[in-house]
Amino acid sequence: MTTLSPESGLLARVPPRVVRIASVVVVVLSWEIAGRAAPRWASYPTEVFAAFLDNLDRIIEAFVETFKAVGVGYAISVAGGVLIGFGMARIRVVKVALDPYVAVLYSTPRITLIPLAILLIGIGFNLRVLMSVLASIFPMIINTYAAVDSVSAELEETARSFTASRWSITRTVLIPGAIPGIFVGMRVGIIRALVGVIVAEMTAGAAGVGALLLVFGRFFQSEKLFGPVLLLGLVSILMTRGLSYLERKLAPWQD
């Protein structure tokens, strides 16, 4: 008896892009039909799109507020996380001194820190930036530390045999070798930075996408709620894809 392998047949020759588009079409059509059948419990795509256009100004304003905080917090996290991760990987005293704080803060749920942050700095832009940093800096620290620590010692010894200085070894060996791990932390960190800001906005009732979602949800306006949520998902995909593209440009040897 002849058995067909999973790669044989007509479906195996269908391009992945076609499969993805077909799956989206099926989901959207199913959602439209189910939503129209029970409009009390769920909206449907055409209504969501209409509500999105009607509230486009509010949504854009909320996204600008949110991503200003995400951008500032993420920039701080990348700079601080890479420096701290490098320091912990290369300087024993730094690792011993900072390791307990990194472990404790990384394992602490960020939402539990919001009341304390409100007491210290109040409700506003600074709160959102702080929560963005607290959510995203630790993946940067941990992944940078692991990436630098895993760079081959033989490469360093080879560089030293050619009388390379410590800065030359860092620039030509450690940084190129650590780039893949650093970008793993950056991809994880950018999503966590966004989540941290959204949670702060929803918890503290500040401006931004989180506050807008809270208002729509409080009044059971599901047709208005879906638009910003779907847009957040799309923006998250674009951000991670952009970082992957940047990594390929900075480290083409990985391909």
Side-chain angles (χ1 to χ4, degrees):
M1 183 175 60
T2 303
T3 58
L4 295 176
S5 68
E7 300 297 329
S8 63
L10 180 61
L11 291 178
R13 294 192 292 270
V14 178
R17 181 175 299 179
V18 174
V19 175
R20 294 190 189 101
I21 293 174
S23 69
V24 171
V25 170
V26 170
V27 169
V28 171
L29 289 178
S30 301
W31 181 13
E32 183 79 21
I33 294 170
R36 287 183 179 275
R40 178 182 177 183
W41 304 109
S43 186
Y44 43 90
T46 52
E47 187 180 29
V48 169
F49 184 69
F52 180 80
L53 294 180
D54 289 339
N55 293 274
L56 187 58
D57 291 341
R58 293 177 66 188
I59 293 172
I60 291 175
E61 182 180 355
F63 267 76
V64 169
E65 285 294 320
T66 294
F67 277 91
K68 281 195 298 186
V70 172
V72 174
Y74 183 64
I76 295 172
S77 294
V78 171
V82 170
L83 289 176
I84 294 172
F86 256 94
M88 291 178 66
R90 304 300 295 177
I91 305 172
R92 181 179 176 276
V93 174
V94 175
K95 180 181 185 302
V96 173
L98 297 183
D99 190 61
Y101 302 102
V102 172
V104 169
L105 290 172
Y106 182 64
S107 59
T108 302
R110 306 299 176 271
I111 194 170
T112 62
L113 301 175
I114 292 179
L116 178 60
I118 292 175
L119 288 175
L120 294 176
I121 61 177
I123 298 174
F125 182 75
N126 291 338
L127 173 66
R128 287 178 281 158
V129 171
L130 177 60
M131 296 313 299
S132 174
V133 172
L134 290 176
S136 59
I137 193 171
F138 297 106
M140 287 299 312
I141 294 173
I142 292 170
N143 281 279
T144 301
Y145 169 81
V148 175
D149 193 53
S150 63
V151 173
S152 174
E154 295 180 358
L155 294 176
E156 293 187 61
E157 289 299 326
T158 301
R160 288 194 186 96
S161 68
F162 286 95
T163 66
S165 64
R166 178 173 295 184
W167 166 243
S168 296
I169 293 174
T170 300
R171 181 174 54 86
T172 61
V173 177
L174 295 180
I175 293 178
I179 282 179
I182 291 173
F183 270 91
V184 171
M186 290 176 66
R187 285 194 292 272
V188 175
I190 189 65
I191 301 302
R192 292 201 173 190
L194 177 58
V195 171
V197 173
I198 296 293
V199 170
E201 291 170 347
M202 297 185 74
T203 304
V209 178
L212 188 64
L213 295 177
L214 202 62
V215 171
F216 290 158
R218 186 176 296 160
F219 292 99
F220 303 101
Q221 298 172 315
S222 59
E223 73 282 357
K224 297 180 181 179
L225 190 62
F226 277 112
V229 171
L230 294 174
L231 185 57
L232 275 175
L234 177 60
V235 172
S236 299
I237 293 173
L238 292 176
M239 289 190 301
T240 53
R241 292 287 180 86
L243 288 173
S244 296
Y245 175 79
L246 181 60
E247 180 184 1
R248 289 195 298 270
K249 290 296 183 182
L250 292 177
W253 59 85
Q254 293 187 80
D255 296 333

